[in-house]
Amino acid sequence: MPDDSQAGNFIREIVATDLKTGKHGGRVVTRFPPEPNGYLHIGHAKSICLNFGIAQEFGGSTNLRFDDTNPSKENLEYVQAIQDDVRWLGFDWENRMFYASDYFERLYLSAVHLTSKGKAYVDSLSADDIRRYRGTLTEPGKDSPYRTRSVEENIDLFARMRAGEFPDGTHVLRAKIDMASPNVNMRDPTLYRIRHAAHHRTGDAWCIYPTYDFAHPLSDAIEGITHSLCTLEFEDHRPLYDWVLKESDAQCHPQQIEFARLNLSHTVMSKRKLLDLVEKKLVAGWDDPRLPTLQGLRRRGYTPEAIRAFCEHIGVAKRDGVVEMALLEHFIREDLNRRAPRVMAVLRPLRVVIDNYPEGAEEDLEAINNPEDPNAGTRKLPFSRTLYIEHEDFREVPPKKFFRLTPGQEVRLRYAYIIQCVSIVKDDRTGEVLEVHCTYDPETRSGGPQAGRKVKGTLHWVSAAHALEAEVRLYEHLFLKADAGDVGEGLDYTANLNPNSFERLTGCQVERTLAAAAPLSRYQFERQGYFCLDPDTSDQKLVFNRTVALRDSWAKIEKTQQER
Ligand code: ATP
Ligand code: MG
């Protein structure tokens, strides 16, 4: 995919400058540090593309590090899914997969080191009191009465915390920095908590766990990270990041650089909300095609190439913003337009009988697989007397400018003949059109003497006897408003869920070449959009998920912007 990046990438420039000045000894080592407490989403993809992309570009390397310092919400299912997703996106950490929990012993020793230097102390205030003593953005905090404990007492208490002598919440280890600091993060932040909980990797070996602010800089230093890229909310933590490294006498000092997280319209990206949607069964699971999770997008038919191109295009900035979902959709369309074979699929079938086509006869017509790809070749489409067309492509009483099938008006069946409606069979009671009878003009076949005759409409169709039945699932935005959290007072984000985000169509008729479709293979259903074969083949049915409709609202937005 061509690199048509628009937005800048200031991190690229920092790294290039650092390489020139030899700042990190000419090395570039980044890391992607997910907490295994949920599935990855498109926001994580931005971080993955950035970390792996920067390293690739400058001949460096990237570590995958599980930031597994909180035993209560983390588990192996997530650890596995995260690896699958990073690989699927097209990135390779080679042999550099690490866990923060691998460093627990070293982190503990660093904490002891800080304590012995008088830079950390055991506080026995309750969690509520610690919060109260912390002060506010406008008022300084005040010292805990335990702040003046002797080094010996602190060392002893911390060892006993580790040994499991105290229940949860009775003591914490805190950095001794400055309770009056204008930066609240520097007001003696907590470094260790007591938590009697089994960890998915270390089991019951530990009952104290380090906080992110302590574990993260040290893990970065242990791995020799040069550029530690994180999202903007950590900007105010940077002084603490640097403090921890300096006071721990770390061998290497990675540089923390913050960038704006990706926010997308019409969806939610917080792990808490995603988990909530899954647990409340408001969606069908982590891989529900309406979710912005990588597993959801994959099942929906998104390609890693499209997601990477999207991430490159949005770039990285220092200011938070919201990206339109339509832009992401534009990138998948661009990619699939080049790659997806075209097929005929009728989603809401209407029977069409060609009265003057011989009963029992059939013929093969030639169809182009992908006009965008000259190497994609052609295929044979069977034609016969009874066909299906899209129900909405016929109107007995047409509105103005309706160029599709209507009594007396000719239309072309793509790759086949021009037909004309001669009569209609209706349900006596409901008046519903059940079947349309047409005649065809044999001279209008491709290569025939009338092949070039102009008609205003061209319809897709399948031969009834040759088509396969399929289920098609249509998806719309999961949330009604661009800002999913924009709800009335007293309501939570679920108030904005789109009740019509999912529609199941059964009895669809698709051309028989789709019998050979592999799970997750993607097609353009002519005139309908891009679709992908659902990977769940357990019930032997052909099920297609609509990736995206054909109409590109983003291209339209861009066009009107240019015209203005
Ligand atoms: P939380 O910390 O609340 O569990 P998180 O979204 O930060 O959630 P992590 O697993 O810590 O989840 O994220 C791993 C990495 O991905 C972090 O470096 C984080 O900054 C980055 N990341 C997460 N969400 C986004 C986003 N929306 N845009 C860009 N980067 C993101
Ligand atoms: Mg995080």
Side-chain angles (χ1 to χ4, degrees), residues 31-37 40-48 51 67 73 82 212 216 229-234 259-263 269-272:
R31 84 286 172 268
F32 173 62
E35 184 178 354
N37 62 352
L40 299 183
H41 52 60
I42 182 81
H44 292 114
K46 173 174 177 177
S47 174
I48 295 168
N51 279 293
D67 179 21
K73 293 192 220 148
I82 289 170
Y212 175 89
H216 204 79
L229 315 180
C230 64
T231 39
L232 276 184
E233 69 271 23
F234 292 103
F259 63 95
R261 59 172 54 230
L262 167 66
N263 300 304
M269 219 101 90
S270 118
K271 283 188 195 166
R272 187 182 57 76

mmCIF file of all heavy atoms in Angstrom, residues 31-37 40-48 51 67 73 82 212 216 229-234 259-263 269-272, ligand 1:
data_model
loop_
_atom_site.group_PDB
_atom_site.id
_atom_site.type_symbol
_atom_site.label_atom_id
_atom_site.label_comp_id
_atom_site.label_asym_id
_atom_site.label_seq_id
_atom_site.Cartn_x
_atom_site.Cartn_y
_atom_site.Cartn_z
ATOM 1 N N ARG A 31 9.254 -0.816 22.939
ATOM 2 C CA ARG A 31 8.486 -1.945 23.480
ATOM 3 C C ARG A 31 7.011 -1.637 23.342
ATOM 4 O O ARG A 31 6.602 -0.483 23.354
ATOM 5 C CB ARG A 31 8.856 -2.242 24.947
ATOM 6 C CG ARG A 31 8.137 -1.401 25.969
ATOM 7 C CD ARG A 31 8.635 0.014 26.037
ATOM 8 N NE ARG A 31 7.802 0.835 26.887
ATOM 9 C CZ ARG A 31 6.765 1.556 26.467
ATOM 10 N NH1 ARG A 31 6.423 1.572 25.194
ATOM 11 N NH2 ARG A 31 6.056 2.249 27.311
ATOM 12 N N PHE A 32 6.239 -2.719 23.217
ATOM 13 C CA PHE A 32 4.781 -2.579 23.312
ATOM 14 C C PHE A 32 4.376 -3.285 24.603
ATOM 15 O O PHE A 32 4.586 -4.489 24.721
ATOM 16 C CB PHE A 32 4.097 -3.194 22.091
ATOM 17 C CG PHE A 32 2.596 -3.211 22.238
ATOM 18 C CD1 PHE A 32 1.890 -2.020 22.353
ATOM 19 C CD2 PHE A 32 1.896 -4.404 22.278
ATOM 20 C CE1 PHE A 32 0.506 -2.036 22.519
ATOM 21 C CE2 PHE A 32 0.522 -4.418 22.441
ATOM 22 C CZ PHE A 32 -0.174 -3.229 22.569
ATOM 23 N N PRO A 33 3.832 -2.524 25.568
ATOM 24 C CA PRO A 33 3.630 -3.072 26.919
ATOM 25 C C PRO A 33 2.176 -3.240 27.342
ATOM 26 O O PRO A 33 1.719 -2.560 28.252
ATOM 27 C CB PRO A 33 4.285 -1.995 27.783
ATOM 28 C CG PRO A 33 3.920 -0.708 27.049
ATOM 29 C CD PRO A 33 3.759 -1.055 25.588
ATOM 30 N N PRO A 34 1.413 -4.127 26.720
ATOM 31 C CA PRO A 34 0.012 -4.263 27.110
ATOM 32 C C PRO A 34 -0.148 -4.897 28.490
ATOM 33 O O PRO A 34 0.652 -5.753 28.871
ATOM 34 C CB PRO A 34 -0.566 -5.187 26.042
ATOM 35 C CG PRO A 34 0.597 -6.029 25.630
ATOM 36 C CD PRO A 34 1.785 -5.113 25.688
ATOM 37 N N GLU A 35 -1.184 -4.481 29.169
ATOM 38 C CA GLU A 35 -1.567 -5.185 30.383
ATOM 39 C C GLU A 35 -2.537 -6.281 29.957
ATOM 40 O O GLU A 35 -3.530 -5.997 29.277
ATOM 41 C CB GLU A 35 -2.257 -4.208 31.348
ATOM 42 C CG GLU A 35 -2.588 -4.879 32.654
ATOM 43 C CD GLU A 35 -3.244 -3.939 33.665
ATOM 44 O OE1 GLU A 35 -3.349 -2.737 33.396
ATOM 45 O OE2 GLU A 35 -3.658 -4.463 34.713
ATOM 46 N N PRO A 36 -2.257 -7.532 30.312
ATOM 47 C CA PRO A 36 -3.140 -8.609 29.821
ATOM 48 C C PRO A 36 -4.461 -8.668 30.602
ATOM 49 O O PRO A 36 -4.760 -9.654 31.245
ATOM 50 C CB PRO A 36 -2.299 -9.872 30.003
ATOM 51 C CG PRO A 36 -1.344 -9.547 31.097
ATOM 52 C CD PRO A 36 -1.104 -8.067 31.053
ATOM 53 N N ASN A 37 -5.216 -7.594 30.498
ATOM 54 C CA ASN A 37 -6.505 -7.554 31.191
ATOM 55 C C ASN A 37 -7.645 -7.285 30.213
ATOM 56 O O ASN A 37 -8.692 -6.792 30.566
ATOM 57 C CB ASN A 37 -6.495 -6.499 32.302
ATOM 58 C CG ASN A 37 -6.285 -5.094 31.771
ATOM 59 O OD1 ASN A 37 -6.009 -4.918 30.584
ATOM 60 N ND2 ASN A 37 -6.397 -4.100 32.617
ATOM 61 N N LEU A 40 -6.907 -6.555 22.630
ATOM 62 C CA LEU A 40 -6.371 -5.348 21.989
ATOM 63 C C LEU A 40 -7.418 -4.741 21.052
ATOM 64 O O LEU A 40 -8.212 -5.446 20.443
ATOM 65 C CB LEU A 40 -5.118 -5.689 21.185
ATOM 66 C CG LEU A 40 -3.947 -6.251 21.981
ATOM 67 C CD1 LEU A 40 -2.751 -6.471 21.058
ATOM 68 C CD2 LEU A 40 -3.561 -5.332 23.135
ATOM 69 N N HIS A 41 -7.362 -3.419 20.943
ATOM 70 C CA HIS A 41 -8.278 -2.724 20.040
ATOM 71 C C HIS A 41 -7.486 -1.845 19.076
ATOM 72 O O HIS A 41 -6.247 -1.800 19.122
ATOM 73 C CB HIS A 41 -9.322 -1.939 20.830
ATOM 74 C CG HIS A 41 -8.748 -1.024 21.879
ATOM 75 N ND1 HIS A 41 -7.887 0.007 21.578
ATOM 76 C CD2 HIS A 41 -8.905 -1.005 23.235
ATOM 77 C CE1 HIS A 41 -7.560 0.642 22.679
ATOM 78 N NE2 HIS A 41 -8.145 0.042 23.716
ATOM 79 N N ILE A 42 -8.224 -1.122 18.245
ATOM 80 C CA ILE A 42 -7.594 -0.330 17.202
ATOM 81 C C ILE A 42 -6.672 0.756 17.797
ATOM 82 O O ILE A 42 -5.689 1.147 17.167
ATOM 83 C CB ILE A 42 -8.675 0.254 16.256
ATOM 84 C CG1 ILE A 42 -8.091 1.064 15.107
ATOM 85 C CG2 ILE A 42 -9.694 1.091 17.008
ATOM 86 C CD1 ILE A 42 -7.611 0.221 13.968
ATOM 87 N N GLY A 43 -6.970 1.190 19.021
ATOM 88 C CA GLY A 43 -6.070 2.146 19.689
ATOM 89 C C GLY A 43 -4.719 1.512 19.968
ATOM 90 O O GLY A 43 -3.659 2.118 19.752
ATOM 91 N N HIS A 44 -4.754 0.264 20.431
ATOM 92 C CA HIS A 44 -3.487 -0.449 20.634
ATOM 93 C C HIS A 44 -2.747 -0.615 19.314
ATOM 94 O O HIS A 44 -1.521 -0.580 19.284
ATOM 95 C CB HIS A 44 -3.740 -1.831 21.244
ATOM 96 C CG HIS A 44 -4.259 -1.785 22.651
ATOM 97 N ND1 HIS A 44 -5.519 -2.209 22.980
ATOM 98 C CD2 HIS A 44 -3.693 -1.349 23.801
ATOM 99 C CE1 HIS A 44 -5.708 -2.050 24.294
ATOM 100 N NE2 HIS A 44 -4.612 -1.526 24.807
ATOM 101 N N ALA A 45 -3.514 -0.794 18.235
ATOM 102 C CA ALA A 45 -2.863 -0.956 16.926
ATOM 103 C C ALA A 45 -2.015 0.266 16.607
ATOM 104 O O ALA A 45 -0.917 0.155 16.050
ATOM 105 C CB ALA A 45 -3.909 -1.192 15.833
ATOM 106 N N LYS A 46 -2.517 1.440 16.976
ATOM 107 C CA LYS A 46 -1.736 2.655 16.747
ATOM 108 C C LYS A 46 -0.398 2.573 17.491
ATOM 109 O O LYS A 46 0.656 2.886 16.933
ATOM 110 C CB LYS A 46 -2.531 3.876 17.227
ATOM 111 C CG LYS A 46 -1.738 5.177 17.196
ATOM 112 C CD LYS A 46 -2.590 6.382 17.525
ATOM 113 C CE LYS A 46 -1.738 7.648 17.565
ATOM 114 N NZ LYS A 46 -2.531 8.864 17.808
ATOM 115 N N SER A 47 -0.469 2.127 18.736
ATOM 116 C CA SER A 47 0.747 2.015 19.541
ATOM 117 C C SER A 47 1.684 0.927 18.993
ATOM 118 O O SER A 47 2.905 1.104 18.935
ATOM 119 C CB SER A 47 0.344 1.715 20.989
ATOM 120 O OG SER A 47 1.454 1.461 21.780
ATOM 121 N N ILE A 48 1.110 -0.181 18.568
ATOM 122 C CA ILE A 48 1.911 -1.282 18.013
ATOM 123 C C ILE A 48 2.611 -0.818 16.730
ATOM 124 O O ILE A 48 3.826 -1.020 16.555
ATOM 125 C CB ILE A 48 1.006 -2.506 17.717
ATOM 126 C CG1 ILE A 48 0.436 -3.076 19.018
ATOM 127 C CG2 ILE A 48 1.779 -3.585 16.956
ATOM 128 C CD1 ILE A 48 -0.692 -4.092 18.821
ATOM 129 N N ASN A 51 5.407 1.674 17.697
ATOM 130 C CA ASN A 51 6.594 1.081 18.330
ATOM 131 C C ASN A 51 7.379 0.181 17.379
ATOM 132 O O ASN A 51 8.595 0.310 17.261
ATOM 133 C CB ASN A 51 6.171 0.296 19.575
ATOM 134 C CG ASN A 51 5.971 1.196 20.779
ATOM 135 O OD1 ASN A 51 6.928 1.783 21.291
ATOM 136 N ND2 ASN A 51 4.738 1.334 21.222
ATOM 137 N N ASP A 67 2.639 -6.286 30.777
ATOM 138 C CA ASP A 67 2.740 -5.473 31.981
ATOM 139 C C ASP A 67 1.797 -6.079 33.014
ATOM 140 O O ASP A 67 0.718 -5.564 33.280
ATOM 141 C CB ASP A 67 2.333 -4.045 31.571
ATOM 142 C CG ASP A 67 2.380 -3.092 32.737
ATOM 143 O OD1 ASP A 67 3.075 -3.410 33.716
ATOM 144 O OD2 ASP A 67 1.698 -2.061 32.674
ATOM 145 N N LYS A 73 -6.933 -8.844 37.628
ATOM 146 C CA LYS A 73 -7.717 -8.744 36.395
ATOM 147 C C LYS A 73 -7.053 -9.412 35.193
ATOM 148 O O LYS A 73 -7.544 -9.315 34.080
ATOM 149 C CB LYS A 73 -7.932 -7.269 36.050
ATOM 150 C CG LYS A 73 -8.816 -6.513 37.030
ATOM 151 C CD LYS A 73 -9.178 -5.171 36.420
ATOM 152 C CE LYS A 73 -9.151 -4.071 37.462
ATOM 153 N NZ LYS A 73 -8.759 -2.790 36.912
ATOM 154 N N ILE A 82 -3.396 -11.492 22.836
ATOM 155 C CA ILE A 82 -2.551 -10.338 22.497
ATOM 156 C C ILE A 82 -1.440 -10.763 21.529
ATOM 157 O O ILE A 82 -1.165 -10.081 20.538
ATOM 158 C CB ILE A 82 -1.986 -9.702 23.789
ATOM 159 C CG1 ILE A 82 -3.120 -8.985 24.541
ATOM 160 C CG2 ILE A 82 -0.841 -8.740 23.474
ATOM 161 C CD1 ILE A 82 -2.765 -8.525 25.951
ATOM 162 N N TYR A 212 2.341 0.464 38.598
ATOM 163 C CA TYR A 212 2.792 0.772 37.239
ATOM 164 C C TYR A 212 3.942 1.778 37.269
ATOM 165 O O TYR A 212 4.961 1.597 36.594
ATOM 166 C CB TYR A 212 1.618 1.341 36.437
ATOM 167 C CG TYR A 212 2.007 1.808 35.060
ATOM 168 C CD1 TYR A 212 1.979 0.940 33.977
ATOM 169 C CD2 TYR A 212 2.432 3.127 34.846
ATOM 170 C CE1 TYR A 212 2.359 1.363 32.720
ATOM 171 C CE2 TYR A 212 2.816 3.556 33.589
ATOM 172 C CZ TYR A 212 2.782 2.673 32.537
ATOM 173 O OH TYR A 212 3.165 3.102 31.292
ATOM 174 N N HIS A 216 7.159 0.147 35.647
ATOM 175 C CA HIS A 216 7.356 0.442 34.226
ATOM 176 C C HIS A 216 8.734 1.001 33.886
ATOM 177 O O HIS A 216 9.419 0.473 33.007
ATOM 178 C CB HIS A 216 6.234 1.341 33.704
ATOM 179 C CG HIS A 216 6.051 1.209 32.233
ATOM 180 N ND1 HIS A 216 5.363 0.157 31.662
ATOM 181 C CD2 HIS A 216 6.523 1.941 31.211
ATOM 182 C CE1 HIS A 216 5.420 0.262 30.351
ATOM 183 N NE2 HIS A 216 6.111 1.339 30.045
ATOM 184 N N LEU A 229 7.556 4.855 24.519
ATOM 185 C CA LEU A 229 6.461 5.644 23.967
ATOM 186 C C LEU A 229 5.164 5.310 24.693
ATOM 187 O O LEU A 229 4.819 4.137 24.824
ATOM 188 C CB LEU A 229 6.316 5.352 22.465
ATOM 189 C CG LEU A 229 7.635 5.335 21.682
ATOM 190 C CD1 LEU A 229 7.371 5.034 20.202
ATOM 191 C CD2 LEU A 229 8.377 6.660 21.846
ATOM 192 N N CYS A 230 4.495 6.330 25.167
ATOM 193 C CA CYS A 230 3.260 6.076 25.897
ATOM 194 C C CYS A 230 2.265 7.179 25.591
ATOM 195 O O CYS A 230 2.589 8.166 24.934
ATOM 196 C CB CYS A 230 3.526 5.981 27.388
ATOM 197 S SG CYS A 230 4.133 7.515 28.063
ATOM 198 N N THR A 231 1.049 7.009 26.077
ATOM 199 C CA THR A 231 -0.001 7.972 25.729
ATOM 200 C C THR A 231 0.035 9.173 26.680
ATOM 201 O O THR A 231 0.638 9.136 27.749
ATOM 202 C CB THR A 231 -1.374 7.283 25.692
ATOM 203 O OG1 THR A 231 -1.449 6.336 26.753
ATOM 204 C CG2 THR A 231 -1.547 6.549 24.381
ATOM 205 N N LEU A 232 -0.638 10.239 26.245
ATOM 206 C CA LEU A 232 -0.508 11.558 26.877
ATOM 207 C C LEU A 232 -0.796 11.598 28.368
ATOM 208 O O LEU A 232 -0.253 12.431 29.086
ATOM 209 C CB LEU A 232 -1.454 12.559 26.186
ATOM 210 C CG LEU A 232 -0.962 13.228 24.913
ATOM 211 C CD1 LEU A 232 -2.001 14.240 24.456
ATOM 212 C CD2 LEU A 232 0.370 13.917 25.156
ATOM 213 N N GLU A 233 -1.682 10.703 28.833
ATOM 214 C CA GLU A 233 -2.042 10.792 30.252
ATOM 215 C C GLU A 233 -0.842 10.507 31.161
ATOM 216 O O GLU A 233 -0.900 10.748 32.359
ATOM 217 C CB GLU A 233 -3.232 9.882 30.569
ATOM 218 C CG GLU A 233 -2.984 8.396 30.518
ATOM 219 C CD GLU A 233 -3.206 7.785 29.130
ATOM 220 O OE1 GLU A 233 -3.119 8.529 28.133
ATOM 221 O OE2 GLU A 233 -3.452 6.574 29.059
ATOM 222 N N PHE A 234 0.235 10.026 30.574
ATOM 223 C CA PHE A 234 1.432 9.768 31.382
ATOM 224 C C PHE A 234 2.428 10.928 31.379
ATOM 225 O O PHE A 234 3.495 10.838 31.988
ATOM 226 C CB PHE A 234 2.119 8.473 30.921
ATOM 227 C CG PHE A 234 1.301 7.260 31.231
ATOM 228 C CD1 PHE A 234 0.582 6.617 30.241
ATOM 229 C CD2 PHE A 234 1.207 6.783 32.534
ATOM 230 C CE1 PHE A 234 -0.212 5.508 30.525
ATOM 231 C CE2 PHE A 234 0.419 5.687 32.839
ATOM 232 C CZ PHE A 234 -0.287 5.047 31.832
ATOM 233 N N PHE A 259 2.436 10.505 23.334
ATOM 234 C CA PHE A 259 1.688 10.864 22.119
ATOM 235 C C PHE A 259 0.191 10.724 22.411
ATOM 236 O O PHE A 259 -0.201 10.057 23.374
ATOM 237 C CB PHE A 259 2.095 9.970 20.940
ATOM 238 C CG PHE A 259 1.781 8.514 21.149
ATOM 239 C CD1 PHE A 259 0.601 7.951 20.666
ATOM 240 C CD2 PHE A 259 2.656 7.688 21.831
ATOM 241 C CE1 PHE A 259 0.303 6.606 20.861
ATOM 242 C CE2 PHE A 259 2.369 6.344 22.042
ATOM 243 C CZ PHE A 259 1.196 5.805 21.555
ATOM 244 N N ALA A 260 -0.630 11.331 21.573
ATOM 245 C CA ALA A 260 -2.084 11.322 21.789
ATOM 246 C C ALA A 260 -2.649 9.942 21.490
ATOM 247 O O ALA A 260 -2.299 9.317 20.489
ATOM 248 C CB ALA A 260 -2.750 12.354 20.899
ATOM 249 N N ARG A 261 -3.542 9.484 22.351
ATOM 250 C CA ARG A 261 -4.162 8.199 22.063
ATOM 251 C C ARG A 261 -5.167 8.367 20.925
ATOM 252 O O ARG A 261 -5.613 9.456 20.611
ATOM 253 C CB ARG A 261 -4.788 7.563 23.301
ATOM 254 C CG ARG A 261 -5.852 8.319 24.018
ATOM 255 C CD ARG A 261 -6.499 7.454 25.119
ATOM 256 N NE ARG A 261 -5.561 6.883 26.065
ATOM 257 C CZ ARG A 261 -5.546 5.586 26.405
ATOM 258 N NH1 ARG A 261 -6.377 4.719 25.879
ATOM 259 N NH2 ARG A 261 -4.692 5.139 27.286
ATOM 260 N N LEU A 262 -5.458 7.252 20.296
ATOM 261 C CA LEU A 262 -6.453 7.260 19.226
ATOM 262 C C LEU A 262 -7.840 7.142 19.833
ATOM 263 O O LEU A 262 -8.090 6.236 20.622
ATOM 264 C CB LEU A 262 -6.201 6.084 18.277
ATOM 265 C CG LEU A 262 -7.328 5.779 17.285
ATOM 266 C CD1 LEU A 262 -7.504 6.919 16.289
ATOM 267 C CD2 LEU A 262 -7.046 4.481 16.546
ATOM 268 N N ASN A 263 -8.700 8.061 19.481
ATOM 269 C CA ASN A 263 -10.123 7.944 19.798
ATOM 270 C C ASN A 263 -10.869 7.854 18.481
ATOM 271 O O ASN A 263 -10.557 8.589 17.543
ATOM 272 C CB ASN A 263 -10.603 9.160 20.569
ATOM 273 C CG ASN A 263 -9.858 9.331 21.879
ATOM 274 O OD1 ASN A 263 -9.833 8.421 22.700
ATOM 275 N ND2 ASN A 263 -9.226 10.474 22.063
ATOM 276 N N MET A 269 -13.562 2.638 23.484
ATOM 277 C CA MET A 269 -12.257 2.004 23.416
ATOM 278 C C MET A 269 -11.732 1.665 24.808
ATOM 279 O O MET A 269 -10.690 1.054 24.921
ATOM 280 C CB MET A 269 -11.284 2.937 22.708
ATOM 281 C CG MET A 269 -10.345 2.220 21.793
ATOM 282 S SD MET A 269 -10.862 2.375 20.123
ATOM 283 C CE MET A 269 -9.975 3.859 19.692
ATOM 284 N N SER A 270 -12.465 2.077 25.836
ATOM 285 C CA SER A 270 -11.956 1.763 27.161
ATOM 286 C C SER A 270 -12.132 0.268 27.410
ATOM 287 O O SER A 270 -13.166 -0.321 27.086
ATOM 288 C CB SER A 270 -12.670 2.601 28.226
ATOM 289 O OG SER A 270 -13.378 1.786 29.122
ATOM 290 N N LYS A 271 -11.090 -0.330 27.978
ATOM 291 C CA LYS A 271 -11.164 -1.766 28.232
ATOM 292 C C LYS A 271 -12.294 -2.101 29.190
ATOM 293 O O LYS A 271 -12.901 -3.161 29.083
ATOM 294 C CB LYS A 271 -9.853 -2.245 28.844
ATOM 295 C CG LYS A 271 -8.726 -2.400 27.868
ATOM 296 C CD LYS A 271 -7.584 -3.075 28.594
ATOM 297 C CE LYS A 271 -6.291 -2.954 27.842
ATOM 298 N NZ LYS A 271 -5.163 -3.317 28.704
ATOM 299 N N ARG A 272 -12.547 -1.172 30.114
ATOM 300 C CA ARG A 272 -13.599 -1.421 31.081
ATOM 301 C C ARG A 272 -14.949 -1.520 30.364
ATOM 302 O O ARG A 272 -15.733 -2.421 30.611
ATOM 303 C CB ARG A 272 -13.626 -0.282 32.108
ATOM 304 C CG ARG A 272 -14.572 -0.513 33.280
ATOM 305 C CD ARG A 272 -14.563 0.704 34.214
ATOM 306 N NE ARG A 272 -14.920 1.953 33.536
ATOM 307 C CZ ARG A 272 -16.159 2.292 33.181
ATOM 308 N NH1 ARG A 272 -17.166 1.478 33.437
ATOM 309 N NH2 ARG A 272 -16.399 3.446 32.583
HETATM 310 P P1 ATP B 1 -5.578 0.421 30.952
HETATM 311 O O1 ATP B 1 -4.191 0.879 31.297
HETATM 312 O O2 ATP B 1 -6.664 1.327 31.377
HETATM 313 O O3 ATP B 1 -5.844 -1.009 31.278
HETATM 314 P P2 ATP B 1 -4.736 0.833 28.258
HETATM 315 O O4 ATP B 1 -5.661 1.101 27.128
HETATM 316 O O5 ATP B 1 -3.714 1.823 28.618
HETATM 317 O O6 ATP B 1 -5.713 0.490 29.411
HETATM 318 P P3 ATP B 1 -2.635 -1.104 28.035
HETATM 319 O O7 ATP B 1 -2.732 -2.581 27.930
HETATM 320 O O8 ATP B 1 -1.920 -0.561 29.213
HETATM 321 O O9 ATP B 1 -4.101 -0.553 27.988
HETATM 322 O O10 ATP B 1 -2.054 -0.499 26.693
HETATM 323 C C1 ATP B 1 -0.874 -0.950 26.106
HETATM 324 C C2 ATP B 1 -0.267 0.145 25.303
HETATM 325 O O11 ATP B 1 -1.168 0.587 24.303
HETATM 326 C C3 ATP B 1 0.075 1.335 26.169
HETATM 327 O O12 ATP B 1 1.361 1.783 25.823
HETATM 328 C C4 ATP B 1 -0.983 2.336 25.817
HETATM 329 O O13 ATP B 1 -0.497 3.637 25.946
HETATM 330 C C5 ATP B 1 -1.317 1.987 24.365
HETATM 331 N N1 ATP B 1 -2.681 2.361 24.064
HETATM 332 C C6 ATP B 1 -3.795 1.962 24.688
HETATM 333 N N2 ATP B 1 -4.887 2.554 24.177
HETATM 334 C C7 ATP B 1 -4.464 3.358 23.182
HETATM 335 C C8 ATP B 1 -5.111 4.249 22.259
HETATM 336 N N3 ATP B 1 -6.422 4.429 22.271
HETATM 337 N N4 ATP B 1 -4.341 4.902 21.369
HETATM 338 C C9 ATP B 1 -3.014 4.724 21.350
HETATM 339 N N5 ATP B 1 -2.347 3.915 22.186
HETATM 340 C C10 ATP B 1 -3.050 3.233 23.101
#
